Amino acid sequence: MLKKFIVSNYKNFKDEISLDFSKIGEYSFNADSLSIRLIYGRNATGKTNFGRALLNIKSLLCGMQSSGLINEDGAAKFKYEFKFGSDEVVYKYSRFANTELCDEELYVNGEAIFKCDFKNSKFDFKGLSIISAETVNTNRYLKKDEMDNEYVLPFLRWLINNTAFSDDSVLIQLSKYVRKMDMITVGHDLLYSNRNFLENLKNPVYLHNF
Protein backbone atom coordinates (compact mmCIF):
# COMPACT_ATOMS: atom_id res chain seq x y z
CA MET A 1 0.00 0.00 0.00
CA LEU A 2 2.86 2.38 0.71
CA LYS A 3 4.44 2.87 -2.68
CA LYS A 4 7.04 5.57 -2.04
CA PHE A 5 8.24 7.84 0.75
CA ILE A 6 10.24 11.06 0.38
CA VAL A 7 11.56 13.32 3.14
CA SER A 8 13.89 16.32 3.32
CA ASN A 9 15.19 18.69 5.99
CA TYR A 10 14.31 16.24 8.75
CA LYS A 11 16.86 15.92 11.56
CA ASN A 12 20.11 14.82 9.84
CA PHE A 13 18.47 14.52 6.38
CA LYS A 14 19.02 18.02 5.01
CA ASP A 15 18.80 16.86 1.38
CA GLU A 16 15.93 14.88 -0.06
CA ILE A 17 16.02 11.15 0.58
CA SER A 18 13.49 8.59 -0.66
CA LEU A 19 12.55 4.93 -0.43
CA ASP A 20 10.70 3.47 -3.42
CA PHE A 21 8.79 0.30 -2.53
CA SER A 22 7.58 -0.12 -6.12
CA LYS A 23 11.05 -1.04 -7.38
CA ILE A 24 11.14 -4.80 -7.06
CA GLY A 25 14.06 -5.64 -9.33
CA GLU A 26 13.78 -9.08 -10.89
CA TYR A 27 11.01 -10.23 -8.55
CA SER A 28 8.07 -9.22 -10.76
CA PHE A 29 6.51 -12.68 -10.33
CA ASN A 30 5.65 -11.73 -6.76
CA ALA A 31 4.97 -8.03 -7.18
CA ASP A 32 1.79 -7.98 -5.11
CA SER A 33 3.34 -9.33 -1.93
CA LEU A 34 6.96 -8.18 -2.06
CA SER A 35 7.36 -5.26 0.33
CA ILE A 36 10.61 -5.82 2.22
CA ARG A 37 13.40 -3.26 2.23
CA LEU A 38 16.66 -3.38 4.13
CA ILE A 39 18.46 -0.30 5.39
CA TYR A 40 21.88 -0.88 6.89
CA GLY A 41 24.85 1.24 7.91
CA ARG A 42 27.13 2.34 10.70
CA ASN A 43 25.80 3.58 14.03
CA ALA A 44 24.57 7.19 14.17
CA THR A 45 24.12 7.50 10.39
CA GLY A 46 20.37 8.12 10.54
CA LYS A 47 18.69 4.71 10.25
CA THR A 48 16.46 5.29 13.28
CA ASN A 49 15.73 8.86 12.21
CA PHE A 50 14.56 7.58 8.84
CA GLY A 51 12.17 5.25 10.64
CA ARG A 52 10.88 8.16 12.71
CA ALA A 53 10.43 10.20 9.55
CA LEU A 54 8.48 7.38 7.93
CA LEU A 55 6.11 7.26 10.90
CA ASN A 56 5.64 11.02 11.05
CA ILE A 57 2.34 10.67 9.20
CA LYS A 58 0.99 8.63 12.12
CA SER A 59 1.71 11.42 14.59
CA LEU A 60 0.00 13.85 12.22
CA LEU A 61 -3.16 11.88 11.42
CA CYS A 62 -3.61 10.01 14.69
CA GLY A 63 -2.65 12.77 17.08
CA MET A 64 0.31 10.86 18.48
CA GLN A 65 3.27 12.67 19.96
CA SER A 66 6.33 12.71 17.74
CA SER A 67 9.93 12.42 18.88
CA GLY A 68 11.53 15.80 19.50
CA LEU A 69 11.71 18.82 17.22
CA ILE A 70 11.77 18.08 13.51
CA ASN A 71 14.31 20.68 12.41
CA GLU A 72 15.14 24.15 13.62
CA ASP A 73 16.34 25.23 10.18
CA GLY A 74 13.26 25.57 7.95
CA ALA A 75 10.36 23.19 7.43
CA ALA A 76 10.72 19.45 7.11
CA LYS A 77 8.93 18.13 4.01
CA PHE A 78 7.17 14.77 3.80
CA LYS A 79 5.61 13.03 0.79
CA TYR A 80 3.81 9.68 0.87
CA GLU A 81 2.63 7.84 -2.22
CA PHE A 82 0.09 5.06 -1.66
CA LYS A 83 -1.70 2.56 -3.87
CA PHE A 84 -5.04 1.10 -2.79
CA GLY A 85 -6.27 -1.25 -5.50
CA SER A 86 -6.31 0.84 -8.66
CA ASP A 87 -6.26 4.17 -6.79
CA GLU A 88 -3.10 6.22 -6.36
CA VAL A 89 -3.02 8.54 -3.34
CA VAL A 90 -0.38 11.20 -2.72
CA TYR A 91 -0.27 13.04 0.59
CA LYS A 92 2.36 15.65 1.28
CA TYR A 93 2.93 18.27 3.93
CA SER A 94 5.62 20.30 5.65
CA ARG A 95 6.09 21.04 9.34
CA PHE A 96 8.23 23.55 11.21
CA ALA A 97 7.84 21.60 14.46
CA ASN A 98 5.80 18.72 15.80
CA THR A 99 2.78 20.94 16.42
CA GLU A 100 3.30 23.50 13.66
CA LEU A 101 1.94 22.50 10.26
CA CYS A 102 3.00 24.70 7.34
CA ASP A 103 1.08 23.25 4.40
CA GLU A 104 -0.83 20.13 3.38
CA GLU A 105 -1.98 18.66 0.05
CA LEU A 106 -3.85 15.54 -1.05
CA TYR A 107 -4.10 14.03 -4.53
CA VAL A 108 -6.09 11.03 -5.72
CA ASN A 109 -5.26 9.57 -9.15
CA GLY A 110 -3.38 12.72 -10.06
CA GLU A 111 -6.23 15.12 -9.20
CA ALA A 112 -5.91 17.66 -6.39
CA ILE A 113 -8.45 17.04 -3.60
CA PHE A 114 -7.38 19.94 -1.38
CA LYS A 115 -4.49 22.30 -0.79
CA CYS A 116 -3.92 24.13 2.50
CA ASP A 117 -1.34 26.88 2.95
CA PHE A 118 -1.64 27.59 6.65
CA LYS A 119 1.07 30.22 6.80
CA ASN A 120 -0.65 32.42 4.21
CA SER A 121 -4.22 31.33 5.08
CA LYS A 122 -4.91 30.09 1.54
CA PHE A 123 -7.18 27.07 1.08
CA ASP A 124 -8.44 25.21 -1.98
CA PHE A 125 -11.14 22.58 -1.40
CA LYS A 126 -12.44 22.40 -4.98
CA GLY A 127 -11.56 18.73 -5.45
CA LEU A 128 -13.57 17.35 -2.53
CA SER A 129 -16.30 16.19 -4.91
CA ILE A 130 -13.82 13.70 -6.40
CA ILE A 131 -13.93 11.73 -3.14
CA SER A 132 -17.67 12.36 -2.56
CA ALA A 133 -17.03 14.92 0.17
CA GLU A 134 -18.46 17.99 -1.53
CA THR A 135 -21.07 18.46 1.20
CA VAL A 136 -18.56 18.70 4.05
CA ASN A 137 -18.72 22.05 5.84
CA THR A 138 -15.18 23.37 5.40
CA ASN A 139 -16.16 26.63 7.11
CA ARG A 140 -16.40 24.71 10.39
CA TYR A 141 -12.82 23.56 9.93
CA LEU A 142 -11.56 27.03 9.02
CA LYS A 143 -13.31 28.56 12.01
CA LYS A 144 -11.78 25.97 14.34
CA ASP A 145 -8.37 26.64 12.82
CA GLU A 146 -8.72 30.38 13.43
CA MET A 147 -9.67 29.84 17.08
CA ASP A 148 -6.61 27.73 17.85
CA ASN A 149 -3.53 29.79 17.09
CA GLU A 150 -1.08 27.41 18.73
CA TYR A 151 -1.98 24.20 16.90
CA VAL A 152 -3.05 23.62 13.32
CA LEU A 153 -5.33 20.64 12.98
CA PRO A 154 -4.45 18.72 9.79
CA PHE A 155 -7.35 19.02 7.39
CA LEU A 156 -7.04 15.38 6.30
CA ARG A 157 -7.47 14.21 9.90
CA TRP A 158 -10.45 16.53 10.37
CA LEU A 159 -11.96 15.41 7.06
CA ILE A 160 -11.73 11.70 7.88
CA ASN A 161 -13.20 12.21 11.36
CA ASN A 162 -16.07 14.45 10.22
CA THR A 163 -17.24 12.77 7.02
CA ALA A 164 -19.31 9.60 6.57
CA PHE A 165 -17.10 7.91 3.99
CA SER A 166 -17.95 4.41 2.77
CA ASP A 167 -15.74 1.56 3.95
CA ASP A 168 -14.13 1.28 0.50
CA SER A 169 -13.16 4.96 0.41
CA VAL A 170 -9.47 5.54 -0.25
CA LEU A 171 -9.35 7.84 2.77
CA ILE A 172 -10.71 5.14 5.07
CA GLN A 173 -8.17 2.71 3.66
CA LEU A 174 -5.45 5.30 4.16
CA SER A 175 -6.52 5.96 7.74
CA LYS A 176 -6.59 2.25 8.61
CA TYR A 177 -3.17 1.72 7.06
CA VAL A 178 -1.55 4.64 8.91
CA ARG A 179 -3.01 3.56 12.25
CA LYS A 180 -1.36 0.16 11.85
CA MET A 181 2.07 1.58 11.04
CA ASP A 182 4.53 0.87 13.83
CA MET A 183 8.19 0.95 14.69
CA ILE A 184 9.79 -1.59 16.99
CA THR A 185 13.20 -0.76 18.42
CA VAL A 186 15.44 -2.22 21.11
CA GLY A 187 16.50 1.27 22.13
CA HIS A 188 14.96 3.63 24.63
CA ASP A 189 12.69 5.51 22.24
CA LEU A 190 9.45 4.41 23.88
CA LEU A 191 7.34 6.83 21.82
CA TYR A 192 7.59 4.43 18.91
CA SER A 193 8.54 1.21 20.67
CA ASN A 194 6.29 -1.60 21.72
CA ARG A 195 7.34 -1.47 25.36
CA ASN A 196 6.61 -5.16 25.98
CA PHE A 197 7.84 -6.48 22.65
CA LEU A 198 11.00 -8.20 23.86
CA GLU A 199 9.30 -9.46 27.01
CA ASN A 200 6.45 -10.92 24.94
CA LEU A 201 8.92 -12.90 22.82
CA LYS A 202 9.76 -14.95 25.91
CA ASN A 203 6.27 -16.41 25.64
CA PRO A 204 6.44 -19.38 23.21
CA VAL A 205 3.00 -18.54 21.79
CA TYR A 206 3.92 -14.94 21.04
CA LEU A 207 7.29 -16.03 19.65
CA HIS A 208 5.59 -18.52 17.32
CA ASN A 209 3.12 -15.87 16.12
CA PHE A 210 5.96 -13.43 15.50
Side-chain angles (χ1 to χ4, degrees), residues 130-176:
I130 298 173
I131 56 172
S132 302
E134 62 273 16
T135 60
V136 68
N137 189 350
T138 55
N139 288 328
R140 287 180 53 204
Y141 169 77
L142 295 176
K143 185 176 181 180
K144 179 178 179 59
D145 182 51
E146 291 175 356
M147 294 174 62
D148 192 347
N149 295 322
E150 295 184 358
Y151 177 73
V152 175
L153 179 67
F155 179 69
L156 181 56
R157 190 206 305 181
W158 183 89
L159 181 65
I160 293 173
N161 292 336
N162 290 274
T163 308
F165 289 112
S166 60
D167 290 340
D168 60 352
S169 165
V170 291
L171 294 196
I172 297 301
Q173 295 180 68
L174 172 62
S175 177
K176 289 181 178 179

Side-chain angles (χ1 to χ4, degrees), residues 3-182:
K3 184 178 178 182
K4 189 175 183 180
F5 172 65
I6 304 172
V7 65
S8 62
N9 202 36
Y10 177 86
K11 295 185 181 290
N12 59 309
F13 300 120
K14 182 65 177 178
D15 299 324
E16 182 177 285
I17 184 171
S18 65
L19 185 61
D20 191 340
F21 291 92
S22 67
K23 292 184 178 181
I24 58 173
E26 302 298 322
Y27 297 92
S28 57
F29 64 90
N30 202 23
D32 291 336
S33 59
L34 186 68
S35 60
I36 298 174
R37 292 293 181 272
L38 177 66
I39 299 176
Y40 63 94
R42 298 185 304 276
N43 289 341
T45 55
K47 299 186 299 296
T48 300
N49 280 344
F50 189 81
R52 290 171 177 160
L54 188 64
L55 262 72
N56 192 270
I57 188 175
K58 187 171 185 177
S59 71
L60 193 74
L61 297 186
C62 302
M64 296 179 61
Q65 184 180 358
S66 186
S67 178
L69 288 175
I70 290 177
N71 200 318
E72 296 180 357
D73 182 21
K77 298 180 179 180
F78 303 84
K79 182 179 181 181
Y80 298 81
E81 298 180 14
F82 298 91
K83 186 175 178 64
F84 301 102
S86 59
D87 292 318
E88 302 271 351
V89 178
V90 176
Y91 181 53
K92 57 182 181 179
Y93 59 89
S94 61
R95 306 175 77 174
F96 284 114
N98 292 327
T99 58
E100 190 174 0
L101 193 60
C102 179
D103 53 57
E104 180 186 20
E105 299 179 22
L106 179 72
Y107 298 82
V108 175
N109 297 324
E111 297 187 83
I113 306 303
F114 67 78
K115 298 180 181 180
C116 298
D117 181 351
F118 300 105
K119 291 302 173 184
N120 297 302
S121 298
K122 294 182 179 180
F123 303 90
D124 183 354
F125 301 120
K126 296 177 182 177
L128 290 177
S129 60
I130 298 173
I131 56 172
S132 302
E134 62 273 16
T135 60
V136 68
N137 189 350
T138 55
N139 288 328
R140 287 180 53 204
Y141 169 77
L142 295 176
K143 185 176 181 180
K144 179 178 179 59
D145 182 51
E146 291 175 356
M147 294 174 62
D148 192 347
N149 295 322
E150 295 184 358
Y151 177 73
V152 175
L153 179 67
F155 179 69
L156 181 56
R157 190 206 305 181
W158 183 89
L159 181 65
I160 293 173
N161 292 336
N162 290 274
T163 308
F165 289 112
S166 60
D167 290 340
D168 60 352
S169 165
V170 291
L171 294 196
I172 297 301
Q173 295 180 68
L174 172 62
S175 177
K176 289 181 178 179
Y177 181 86
V178 170
R179 289 181 180 278
K180 291 182 179 180
M181 292 175 68
D182 204 357

